[in-house]
Amino acid sequence: MPRDDIVNLAARRSLFYPSAEIYPNSPSGFWDFGPDGETIRRKIIEFWRNELVEKEGFVEIYGAQILPEAVFKASGHLESFNDPITQCAKCNSLHRADKLIEEKTKENVPESLPTKDLDKLIEKNQITCPKCRGRLGEVRKFNMMMGLDIGATGQQRCYLRPETCQTIFLNFNRIYKTMRQNLPIGIAQAGCSFRNEIAPRNTLLRERELGQMEIEVFFDPQKIDEVPDFDYVSDYLLNLWLLDEKKLVKVSCSDAVKKKIVSGKTVAYYLARVQQLYANYGIGIDKMRFRQLDKDEKAFYAAETWDFEVETDLGWIELIACNYRTDYDLKRHSKVSNTELSVSEDGRKFFPHVFEISAGIDRTMYVLLDHTFRKEKRGAEERIFLALNPRIAPYLAGVFPLVKKDGLLELAKNLTAEIRNYYLDAFMDEKGSIGKRYARADEIGIPYAITIDYQTKEDNTVTLRERDTMEQKRIPLESLPETLWKMKHGKLKFSSL
Amino acid sequence: MPRDDIVNLAARRSLFYPSAEIYPNSPSGFWDFGPDGETIRRKIIEFWRNELVEKEGFVEIYGAQILPEAVFKASGHLESFNDPITQCAKCNSLHRADKLIEEKTKENVPESLPTKDLDKLIEKNQITCPKCRGRLGEVRKFNMMMGLDIGATGQQRCYLRPETCQTIFLNFNRIYKTMRQNLPIGIAQAGCSFRNEIAPRNTLLRERELGQMEIEVFFDPQKIDEVPDFDYVSDYLLNLWLLDEKKLVKVSCSDAVKKKIVSGKTVAYYLARVQQLYANYGIGIDKMRFRQLDKDEKAFYAAETWDFEVETDLGWIELIACNYRTDYDLKRHSKVSNTELSVSEDGRKFFPHVFEISAGIDRTMYVLLDHTFRKEKRGAEERIFLALNPRIAPYLAGVFPLVKKDGLLELAKNLTAEIRNYYLDAFMDEKGSIGKRYARADEIGIPYAITIDYQTKEDNTVTLRERDTMEQKRIPLESLPETLWKMKHGKLKFSSL
């Protein structure tokens, strides 16, 4: 759906909005999430936790967001987490050189391109300052990490982590030992990362403080093809956008392995699980792809990188980087920290290899809003609703007393409490016409609306309305909590009520 | 329980441990949480959300952690979020002047005491450097906020928030309008705050990056005594440590209001709800108190402050600051940002007053470990377990196949999946003797252990063992998920099975 529709809805219902917006000149790229937005954001994480982390038997950790400089010396961020920037000689505004070139040429500029080559491209394409048309200065590298000094004399240089995965590498050895398991083991983390972007934009798509949910799977490289559950996905079709063919091809996991499109079964299996996760969130299969990254595009340590992308009104948006990071990270941290991080299994001592699934939380939210936004003409009127997965919707049900008097308000209050008692999210709304209350609930994706009316007092039934079809059914009051629980978890359908 | 027991358990089971511990000289005060610790931490927040935020009809937001300088000019942090520090003239080490004096004199040093008075106290009590006995230098104020510069030319001075509540004040006006409700409204937020502590210590009790779950209740000061649900708590006894009496007194909420111990019913009501929350977490009522803060101790903007404290092996630990902040925050932000933040209700235009419930997440975790840690002598053996609330325990149940062969492993796998299918946390452990598996589960507080044995294959029953009593019962396999769900939510007791 058009970006403007999403931004308008977000502003109107306070799903998300610029942080510190009451202060003029607050820095851009920071977003706050209002009540319903916060809930959607949280449920996106819970969904990932339930459907991927727990089902795969991964464990989840929670690490400090500030890490000492040594960590980023080892990881390479201190040296190479840079953006190429150029400053206008006339108005002094700063710009991402690669993005300016991409906008002009409509061609991809590899991250690794030297600054001199960028200078040449700017000259060749006669690119000037987008603000004032002034001449652009020499391209230089700008490190995007946010540094800060810890201690009263500022004696310890630290950085806000630019990605959540470093904590996972630092914790690997301890977790490996504590878990009493052999490889493969998967360690997950959901949290914030921080990047001093030159030009934050498109709301949740390019932020300075961003939510990530990352998984690092540590495995024995000699056993990359030993995946016990591979049979479940061997016929599953991956949407792969292949470099060689320059197009999207549907390839089964087993074929991807056989044809050596991927490095092994471990990679194919997790690509399948990612695709399934996003299908379960509610994204159509035909709107997603794994884009194979070129040598120039992928990180230098990655043997193989697939960007999981979803098509939106703004084009294909990268939601997840799937990186086969080899043993780069553990080896580096082992060396720089002078700590033994290799493991001994099968009589061999080696550094585990890592397959990374690094997903954006806020980007996932944006894309889910884009994909579930519906505008329907109904005669003269227009209906807006979010066709959100019931497990992602901010509430499962709204309870609406027809009027406040004659005991209907009390009935509604009790029912709301009863539904909550089942640890289901419900809210009560007693203000305005029933039609307006439906419209307000639709707009933030509430799957079910329950109306308490005079008949409820007579026969203990209520009207249950389904968001997407607007169909209504009379349901016995006392069966509601269980019915809702089952519908939320896909164990029962509204149509079979 | 002794601090060492907790620290040992935390290290042994990776509940929490120093961040970036593989790097020597990593700054102290930053902690990572391993899988079981992360789960406990998360469940503490969920419990607060279910039992306080949702039951009180509050809404929850999620804000950026980095805020511009103007916010802290308005809040007063830039000027006064300081610690008094002194540096040793000999070894250059830094110390909190007030803490050194408190340790020596065993008397409380008010936060507001001028540095000159601290100098005098150091001299009078002949306090020297605790590290080298050297002479201590003049006391100076040190601002504890962590600053950083945003933008490629570092043009925007920002700070990591030292408390989560400022975002709530900044968001108040928007949320108030979006909610279509009148006052009172409560806005909650759980997240991290950052304080550049001079001397972090006692693991989770004094950190540089700390978890907070905060609630700000905005109300009409003229209606401080209008609390619809006050009847529910009017006879409820608050544990108040009163300044006048210098001791703990049990006072009913209605008496606290009548005797003007608190400013009004709003304050008494929320103090009761806080005490109930922590009783529900599992803290004994006789181990908690609200300590009334002196004018010297409380923040200058607070009309009334109660520190909710819990007694531990380390003494009374402050978990929550309950502050009646009046209209200080909204007024300041309104003025500095030049934005209208007052409301109009009942024909009056005014700034809402604020009652704050600011709880520490990590401190709550520490105190829950302290209070639930059990060491029992059983003959020659010693049993360690955490008597954690089932809703806080990292898992609700462990599933243990007696042996891996003869299909018992498969039965255990299926049962684990079946329990998870009810969105209950279960794990399977097939390694080591059943006794050792029980011991490992006990140690991290798993309330129920399920053993699958040969009888299971015959009659479809399993052994269900309760952690605290170690009692065992045979239960039909198929009824387990529902039984566990009910026991978790207090709808069924093990003893009545």
Side-chain angles (χ1 to χ4, degrees):
Chain A
M1 269 299 128
R3 180 182 176 282
D4 286 351
D5 280 335
I6 296 172
V7 172
N8 289 342
L9 175 65
R12 190 164 69 243
R13 297 303 298 272
S14 293
L15 298 181
F16 55 85
Y17 38 89
S19 182
E21 61 181 338
I22 67 170
Y23 283 93
N25 306 320
S26 286
S28 56
F30 296 97
W31 295 85
D32 288 355
F33 295 79
D36 297 320
E38 193 277 332
T39 312
I40 292 173
R41 190 183 183 282
R42 179 154 37 84
K43 289 187 176 184
I44 285 170
I45 302 170
E46 279 165 17
F47 197 92
W48 163 85
R49 181 176 292 131
N50 288 326
E51 297 301 317
L52 191 58
V53 177
E54 290 174 1
K55 288 203 175 155
E56 290 301 322
F58 299 152
V59 295
E60 189 178 340
I61 62 165
Y62 179 90
Q65 301 174 86
I66 295 173
L67 291 167
E69 187 162 61
V71 169
F72 301 107
K73 268 186 193 150
S75 70
H77 283 86
L78 208 55
E79 205 183 293
S80 42
F81 196 62
N82 300 314
D83 266 351
I85 61 171
T86 175
Q87 189 160 24
C88 172
K90 197 165 142 199
C91 76
N92 288 325
S93 65
L94 283 158
H95 307 278
R96 278 273 298 268
D98 52 341
K99 297 293 164 197
L100 289 186
I101 298 167
E102 282 178 357
E103 276 163 23
K104 184 78 177 254
T105 64
K106 308 289 173 203
E107 271 173 41
N108 195 41
V109 176
E111 277 183 28
S112 58
L113 212 64
T115 51
K116 285 192 177 166
D117 293 350
L118 293 170
D119 285 333
K120 282 179 201 156
L121 283 171
I122 287 177
E123 208 187 311
K124 182 181 150 196
N125 292 290
Q126 300 179 310
I127 298 169
T128 53
C129 173
K131 278 199 182 160
C132 76
R133 294 293 141 212
R135 194 175 52 79
L136 292 171
E138 251 185 33
V139 177
R140 64 182 171 92
K141 293 282 185 184
F142 169 69
N143 193 297
M144 285 196 294
M145 287 202 294
M146 298 184 190
L148 68 173
D149 299 309
I150 301 298
T153 54
Q155 64 274 49
Q156 288 182 289
R157 185 64 178 168
C158 292
Y159 295 88
L160 283 162
R161 61 185 180 196
E163 53 183 29
T164 56
C165 62
Q166 293 306 324
T167 311
I168 297 178
F169 302 131
L170 301 177
N171 280 232
F172 163 74
N173 205 249
R174 167 186 274 280
I175 304 296
Y176 175 74
K177 285 175 183 161
T178 310
M179 279 180 72
R180 306 179 310 154
Q181 303 277 350
N182 292 331
L183 298 178
I185 67 168
I187 306 179
Q189 184 175 213
C192 286
S193 294
F194 302 83
R195 296 172 186 180
N196 198 354
E197 296 279 355
I198 302 308
R201 58 178 159 178
N202 286 334
T203 69
L204 307 186
L205 297 181
R206 187 176 292 277
E207 300 168 288
R208 282 171 164 155
E209 181 176 339
L210 56 142
Q212 289 192 298
M213 35 195 191
E214 291 200 295
I215 294 165
E216 310 293 325
V217 182
F218 298 85
F219 63 95
D220 178 347
Q222 290 196 15
K223 296 183 179 174
I224 190 169
D225 284 323
E226 290 183 25
V227 180
D229 289 337
F230 191 76
D231 282 351
Y232 292 112
V233 302
S234 64
D235 295 333
Y236 184 81
L237 294 177
L238 298 170
N239 288 1
L240 302 181
W241 189 95
L242 298 176
L243 272 174
D244 281 349
E245 315 204 13
K246 296 261 180 279
K247 67 170 188 189
L248 191 135
V249 185
K250 288 194 181 278
V251 188
S252 74
C253 286
S254 56
D255 276 353
V257 174
K258 265 184 232 145
K259 295 176 181 167
K260 296 192 190 305
I261 297 172
V262 296
S263 306
K265 282 186 178 176
T266 295
V267 175
Y269 177 79
Y270 289 114
L271 293 185
R273 297 293 289 119
V274 165
Q275 194 171 301
Q276 289 168 346
L277 175 70
Y278 278 75
N280 289 339
Y281 270 128
I283 305 288
I285 288 284
D286 56 328
K287 294 287 184 186
M288 51 174 86
R289 70 179 185 192
F290 289 99
R291 190 166 66 83
Q292 190 174 31
L293 258 56
D294 203 346
K295 211 172 54 197
D296 284 340
E297 262 189 305
K298 68 188 183 195
F300 66 90
Y301 50 75
E304 181 182 351
T305 299
W306 298 90
D307 274 359
F308 179 74
E309 299 179 329
V310 172
E311 195 171 18
T312 72
D313 201 61
L314 294 170
W316 288 90
I317 303 290
E318 181 202 339
L319 292 189
I320 309 182
C322 300
N323 282 311
Y324 178 13
R325 301 178 74 119
T326 70
D327 59 5
Y328 172 78
D329 307 278
L330 290 182
K331 236 180 197 165
R332 288 287 303 162
H333 284 301
S334 187
K335 191 178 166 195
V336 178
S337 72
N338 204 14
T339 314
E340 181 59 80
L341 297 181
S342 64
V343 304
S344 288
E345 287 194 10
D346 290 351
R348 285 176 291 124
K349 193 174 157 214
F350 60 93
F351 286 99
H353 277 210
V354 169
F355 186 71
E356 171 178 80
I357 305 166
S358 170
I361 297 168
D362 309 335
R363 287 185 169 204
T364 296
M365 177 162 164
Y366 185 92
V367 164
L368 285 178
L369 293 180
D370 179 286
H371 275 241
T372 59
F373 190 95
R374 303 276 185 280
K375 220 186 234 178
E376 285 180 357
K377 281 272 175 209
R378 304 183 53 76
E381 279 179 64
E382 193 180 61
R383 180 169 97 104
I384 287 177
F385 70 101
L386 291 180
L388 279 176
N389 182 323
R391 287 169 56 192
I392 303 294
Y395 292 90
L396 184 63
V399 180
F400 305 152
L402 186 67
V403 293
K404 279 184 245 183
K405 57 186 181 178
D406 300 328
L408 297 190
L409 187 67
E410 285 65 36
L411 275 174
K413 273 188 186 166
N414 291 343
L415 178 62
T416 310
E418 190 60 34
I419 297 170
R420 284 187 185 159
N421 210 12
Y422 269 69
Y423 294 89
L424 299 171
D425 303 315
F427 71 101
M428 192 182 73
D429 185 358
E430 72 282 9
K431 287 185 185 168
S433 70
I434 288 287
K436 280 204 177 126
R437 285 182 252 172
Y438 283 151
R440 279 184 63 83
D442 283 345
E443 200 174 48
I444 54 166
I446 312 301
Y448 304 105
I450 298 152
T451 305
I452 309 263
D453 55 20
Y454 286 101
Q455 197 185 327
T456 310
K457 287 176 72 179
E458 283 165 30
D459 64 2
N460 277 314
T461 63
V462 297
T463 302
L464 181 65
R465 172 185 178 271
E466 193 187 40
R467 175 195 63 204
D468 297 0
T469 60
M470 292 192 291
E471 233 185 285
Q472 305 193 358
K473 291 185 183 182
R474 292 289 310 181
I475 303 284
L477 191 65
E478 79 271 11
S479 73
L480 254 183
E482 204 178 324
T483 299
L484 288 171
W485 193 89
K486 286 181 177 167
M487 291 197 299
K488 175 179 177 186
H489 294 303
K491 295 174 201 291
L492 182 69
K493 284 192 170 169
F494 182 81
S495 57
S496 57
L497 281 183
Chain B
M1 269 298 132
R3 179 181 175 284
D4 286 352
D5 279 335
I6 295 172
V7 172
N8 289 342
L9 174 66
R12 191 165 68 243
R13 296 303 298 273
S14 293
L15 298 181
F16 56 85
Y17 39 90
S19 181
E21 61 182 339
I22 67 170
Y23 282 93
N25 306 319
S26 286
S28 55
F30 296 97
W31 294 84
D32 288 355
F33 295 79
D36 297 319
E38 192 277 332
T39 312
I40 292 173
R41 189 183 183 283
R42 178 155 38 86
K43 289 187 176 184
I44 284 170
I45 302 171
E46 279 166 16
F47 197 91
W48 163 84
R49 181 175 293 132
N50 288 326
E51 297 300 317
L52 192 57
V53 177
E54 290 173 2
K55 287 202 176 156
E56 290 302 324
F58 300 153
V59 294
E60 190 177 340
I61 62 166
Y62 179 90
Q65 301 174 86
I66 294 173
L67 291 168
E69 187 161 61
V71 170
F72 301 107
K73 267 187 194 148
S75 69
H77 283 86
L78 208 55
E79 204 183 296
S80 42
F81 196 63
N82 300 313
D83 266 351
I85 61 170
T86 174
Q87 188 160 23
C88 172
K90 198 166 140 200
C91 76
N92 289 324
S93 65
L94 283 158
H95 308 278
R96 278 273 297 267
D98 53 340
K99 295 293 163 198
L100 289 184
I101 298 167
E102 281 177 356
E103 276 164 23
K104 184 78 175 256
T105 63
K106 308 289 173 203
E107 271 172 41
N108 195 40
V109 176
E111 277 184 27
S112 57
L113 212 63
T115 51
K116 284 190 179 167
D117 294 351
L118 293 169
D119 285 333
K120 282 178 201 157
L121 283 170
I122 286 176
E123 207 187 315
K124 182 181 150 198
N125 292 290
Q126 299 179 311
I127 297 168
T128 54
C129 173
K131 277 199 182 159
C132 76
R133 295 293 141 215
R135 192 176 54 77
L136 291 171
E138 250 185 33
V139 176
R140 62 181 173 92
K141 293 282 187 184
F142 169 70
N143 193 297
M144 286 196 294
M145 286 201 294
M146 298 183 189
L148 69 173
D149 298 309
I150 299 299
T153 53
Q155 64 275 46
Q156 289 182 287
R157 185 66 177 167
C158 292
Y159 295 89
L160 284 162
R161 61 185 180 196
E163 52 184 31
T164 55
C165 62
Q166 293 307 324
T167 310
I168 297 178
F169 302 132
L170 300 178
N171 281 233
F172 163 74
N173 205 250
R174 166 185 273 282
I175 304 295
Y176 175 74
K177 286 175 183 162
T178 310
M179 279 179 74
R180 305 179 310 155
Q181 302 277 346
N182 291 331
L183 298 178
I185 67 168
I187 305 179
Q189 183 176 215
C192 286
S193 293
F194 302 84
R195 295 170 186 182
N196 198 355
E197 296 279 354
I198 303 307
R201 58 178 159 178
N202 286 333
T203 68
L204 307 186
L205 297 180
R206 188 176 291 278
E207 301 166 288
R208 282 170 163 155
E209 180 176 339
L210 56 141
Q212 288 192 297
M213 34 195 191
E214 290 199 296
I215 294 164
E216 311 293 325
V217 182
F218 298 84
F219 63 94
D220 178 347
Q222 290 196 14
K223 296 184 179 173
I224 190 169
D225 283 323
E226 290 182 25
V227 180
D229 288 338
F230 191 76
D231 283 352
Y232 293 112
V233 303
S234 65
D235 295 333
Y236 184 81
L237 295 176
L238 298 169
N239 287 2
L240 302 181
W241 190 95
L242 298 176
L243 272 174
D244 281 349
E245 315 204 13
K246 296 261 178 282
K247 68 170 186 190
L248 190 134
V249 186
K250 287 191 180 279
V251 187
S252 74
C253 287
S254 55
D255 276 354
V257 174
K258 265 184 231 144
K259 295 176 182 169
K260 297 193 190 304
I261 298 171
V262 296
S263 307
K265 282 185 178 174
T266 294
V267 174
Y269 177 78
Y270 289 114
L271 294 185
R273 296 293 290 121
V274 164
Q275 194 171 301
Q276 289 167 346
L277 175 69
Y278 277 75
N280 289 341
Y281 271 127
I283 306 289
I285 289 283
D286 56 329
K287 295 288 186 187
M288 51 175 85
R289 70 179 186 194
F290 289 99
R291 190 166 67 82
Q292 190 174 32
L293 259 55
D294 204 345
K295 211 172 53 196
D296 284 340
E297 262 188 305
K298 68 187 184 198
F300 65 90
Y301 50 75
E304 182 183 350
T305 298
W306 298 90
D307 274 358
F308 178 75
E309 299 179 329
V310 171
E311 195 172 18
T312 72
D313 201 61
L314 295 169
W316 287 91
I317 302 291
E318 181 202 338
L319 293 189
I320 309 182
C322 300
N323 282 310
Y324 178 13
R325 300 178 76 121
T326 70
D327 58 5
Y328 172 78
D329 307 278
L330 290 182
K331 236 180 197 164
R332 288 288 302 162
H333 285 301
S334 188
K335 191 178 166 194
V336 178
S337 71
N338 205 13
T339 314
E340 181 60 78
L341 297 181
S342 64
V343 304
S344 288
E345 287 193 12
D346 289 350
R348 285 176 290 123
K349 194 175 157 214
F350 60 95
F351 286 99
H353 277 210
V354 168
F355 186 70
E356 170 177 80
I357 305 166
S358 170
I361 297 168
D362 309 335
R363 287 185 170 205
T364 296
M365 177 163 164
Y366 185 92
V367 164
L368 285 178
L369 294 179
D370 179 288
H371 275 241
T372 59
F373 190 95
R374 303 277 185 279
K375 220 185 231 179
E376 284 181 358
K377 281 272 173 206
R378 307 182 50 79
E381 280 178 62
E382 195 181 59
R383 179 168 97 104
I384 286 176
F385 69 100
L386 292 180
L388 279 176
N389 182 323
R391 285 170 56 193
I392 303 294
Y395 292 90
L396 185 63
V399 180
F400 305 153
L402 186 67
V403 293
K404 278 184 249 182
K405 58 185 180 176
D406 300 328
L408 297 191
L409 187 68
E410 285 65 37
L411 276 174
K413 272 188 187 168
N414 291 343
L415 178 61
T416 310
E418 189 61 34
I419 297 170
R420 284 187 185 159
N421 210 11
Y422 269 68
Y423 295 88
L424 299 171
D425 303 314
F427 70 100
M428 191 182 73
D429 185 359
E430 72 282 8
K431 288 186 183 167
S433 71
I434 288 286
K436 281 206 176 125
R437 284 183 252 173
Y438 282 151
R440 279 184 61 84
D442 283 346
E443 202 174 49
I444 54 166
I446 312 302
Y448 304 105
I450 298 151
T451 305
I452 309 265
D453 56 19
Y454 286 100
Q455 197 185 324
T456 310
K457 287 177 70 178
E458 283 165 30
D459 65 2
N460 276 314
T461 64
V462 297
T463 303
L464 181 65
R465 172 185 179 270
E466 192 187 40
R467 174 195 64 204
D468 296 2
T469 59
M470 292 193 291
E471 235 185 283
Q472 305 193 355
K473 290 185 180 179
R474 295 275 332 168
I475 303 284
L477 191 65
E478 78 272 12
S479 73
L480 254 182
E482 203 179 327
T483 300
L484 288 171
W485 193 89
K486 287 181 176 167
M487 290 197 300
K488 175 179 177 188
H489 293 303
K491 296 174 200 290
L492 181 68
K493 284 192 170 172
F494 182 82
S495 57
S496 58
L497 281 183

